[in-house]
Amino acid sequence: MEANVARAERSLALLTTTFLANTESVKANIALVLDTILSQNLFTYMGAAEVSADTAKRYSSAIHKWLARINSLATGKTSESRMAGVLLIKHTAQQSPQLFAENVGKWTTVLVGVLGKAEITPVVEAVLQTLLAFVDAVRDIPMLHREIVSAQVPRINQAILVLADKNPDLTGPVLQMLEHMATWFPKLFRPSIDKTAALCLRLLDGSASRASAGLCAQAAQCLAALSLAGGRVASEERWFEYVQQAVGTIQQCIDRIMCAETGDSVQSAFALPELADNFVIAIPQAADRISAMADVLVALLTQPTAEDVGVPVDAILGAASRLALVPVRAASSKMARAELDVVPVLAPQIQRASVRIMAALAISLGSLMYPYLSAVARAATAIGTQQISSAATRVALHNLLQLYIERYAYGFVVHLPYDMITAAVGEICVYQRSQAPPPTLEIVPSKKRSGSGKARGASALSDETAPVAHLRWDDTTLAAQATVLALLLHTPTMLTSALRTQIDSQVLTLLMLYAIGGIETPFATRESDVPYKVQLLRCLEASLLSPDPWQRAIVPHAVAVFNASQNDPSPRVRAASAAALVAIDPIIHSRLPAQLREPDTEENISEEKQVARMVAASDDSVSIEAVLAGTQLDSPSDDDNEEIQDADGSTDHAKRFRREELETNVSMPAANTRPLTGHLPATNLLSTPVDPQPSLSQPSQPAAATEPAASPPAPRFDPAKQLAKPKPLAKPKAAPSNDDDDDDDDIPDIVMEGSDSEDE
């Protein structure tokens, strides 16, 4: 740490005394100084511990000289010096929060003073960016609010408003600054609301919509931010008023284009200049004003608000629908007016404004748009069925359909005509066969000779005459692919089998042509083809994953395409194909491989054997279902305790175990199994039961005193053996009589069904 602080002190001293010594040095070395500050972090050692007092003192002295020098440069006589001072102040404040907190008041005063002077545009832009960064940082420091926010923010607002009137080239940075000020400090911005609104409306009257669309969008965002400031009215009331005025302005412009008289029912509109009397100027100006008001509605609908606001959906959607129908009504109008001949030229611009408004409604309202989905579908259909439609309009329409399908799925598609879906699918068909010219015969020398000894010539077609597939990649194709992808993901059952087959054939054909290299484009292997390939792969993946009974037929081809795409030079294509292979893996391998399991523990094995003995020794009233359910068994009798005891002598009356563990040791008895004695339970599913009294056909075995031996494997069911004719069993010998046995009546009769049936 000591060495780093010493190095930073020496570097600062060198930069201050050598590279920033005078104006000439500043102009020549400002780039080197900025690079040194950014790369070496010279201001991060303020208040560092484990530094000697001498080193800390010298470092503080170097910092003090540096601050004095950059403040002097910021108030210098030349524009180069002021530009260097502003940049050095900004980077110093960003690198050291301590220096920023100690000097932000002085720096802000210096920068606001620069705004009040006649300065070149690059210096003013640098000052505005630095002030914006300072104000943004001060918002999180409450102790600086009184010194900076309360004292400097009103001065900054007034200075930049004056600056916008003097220098039109600074309108963009000024609007950005005003938008943030109105959003961050709405109460302090109230005195500047009227002037800011007037500045925005000067740009939203249609004069800047075509020349500088970005500047018009910034003005719309700034006007939307003013609704949060409040003022004489509440913020939600101001927001609602701006929405009504924007809709009213759109209605007035539509009336001017359609040569209709404006009635009393038209809502209030913004105070904008009147349109020109000459329709050649007025109608294009009205179309530009419609685009500007669409930007205002989009900004208002997407602007976050602190309070709940009432959205006039009927009025906004009515204006959007009317914009979508303007070309249709102009074409079907019976009025022979020259104004209507201008409408087809402006139709794409008017339709795109309608699309932007409807998209903003879906983004801002979400599920509240369900009652209005049918109206949106009708407006989209009116735009899609236009005979005069530009590529930009088709792209905007596909983006609108994709947005509504992703958000509302079947709720929107059921209102959409099926022709719209078919048209979207048809636009992804981007390949066509080129008509080959008449074949030309080329004589290829051959070593073979005819019977007369003369060399024969082999005629062949030239490679140039072979039919190839030409592509027409454009933005419309990409937007149509996105719409089809949304249909496959969210509403696959709305597509008929014929339409699904058409989608699969088109997508597979394109991808397989890419795989074999059979596609010729004006710019072969261009990087701009990558988005189309990725979208095609995603469409094929979605088609495989969506429910359809005929998808099994394309799985081999899809797997081949995905495997071939793994070798594509583009990383995006490789990533898309890899993700598709992972997604369709359950389709290819419907069952997972067997899972390896560790061998069971001795404790579990002993539990299973103990339960088997409990079932065999329990009373007839206890069934195997009770044991399988893990219920508590009754305590066995004293006579059976010896059979239930474990090797260590402890008696376990009942144990809980999992059903699946017991089922592995349970099997159904074969048909020719010997009859069971009366002491066993009524239903015995165990493969090797413990017989307290063996049958008469087998010799009795002495009871084992220790752990019983391992059970033999369970008998397997063999249909051939079960269907075969049973063999007669030998008659059992007479059992020796036992005089002491008083329970002869309790011995059940043995029924030998096989022997009796044969005797009969």
Side-chain angles (χ1 to χ4, degrees), residues 115 121 124-125 128-129 132 156-182 189 195-196 199-200 202-203 215 218-219 222:
L115 292 178
T121 302
V124 177
E125 290 179 352
L128 291 177
Q129 293 178 2
L132 186 62
I156 294 174
N157 294 335
Q158 296 297 329
I160 58 181
L161 283 172
V162 173
L163 192 63
D165 296 334
K166 293 182 179 179
N167 191 352
D169 296 336
L170 296 172
T171 305
V174 167
L175 288 174
Q176 182 183 9
M177 190 81 173
L178 292 173
E179 177 188 354
H180 287 93
M181 290 295 184
F189 196 80
K195 293 183 179 180
T196 305
L199 174 63
C200 295
R202 286 202 303 267
L203 300 172
L215 191 61
Q218 282 188 347
C222 184

Side-chain angles (χ1 to χ4, degrees), residues 398 422-433 470-474 476-478 480-481 484 502-510 513 536:
H398 282 303
T422 307
V425 174
E427 290 190 4
I428 69 173
C429 182
V430 296
Y431 63 92
Q432 63 179 357
R433 287 289 180 180
H470 293 282
L471 293 182
R472 302 188 303 272
W473 291 132
D474 53 13
T476 305
T477 304
L478 186 62
Q481 290 175 358
V484 172
Q502 181 182 355
I503 295 173
D504 296 337
S505 62
Q506 292 176 2
V507 172
L508 274 175
T509 301
L510 287 172
L513 286 175
L536 288 173

Side-chain angles (χ1 to χ4, degrees), residues 438-473:
T440 58
L441 296 179
E442 295 182 358
I443 304 300
V444 180
S446 177
K447 295 182 180 180
K448 297 182 180 180
R449 296 181 177 274
S450 61
S452 60
K454 297 181 180 180
R456 293 180 300 182
S459 62
L461 289 176
S462 175
D463 293 339
E464 298 179 355
T465 62
V468 295
H470 293 282
L471 293 182
R472 302 188 303 272
W473 291 132

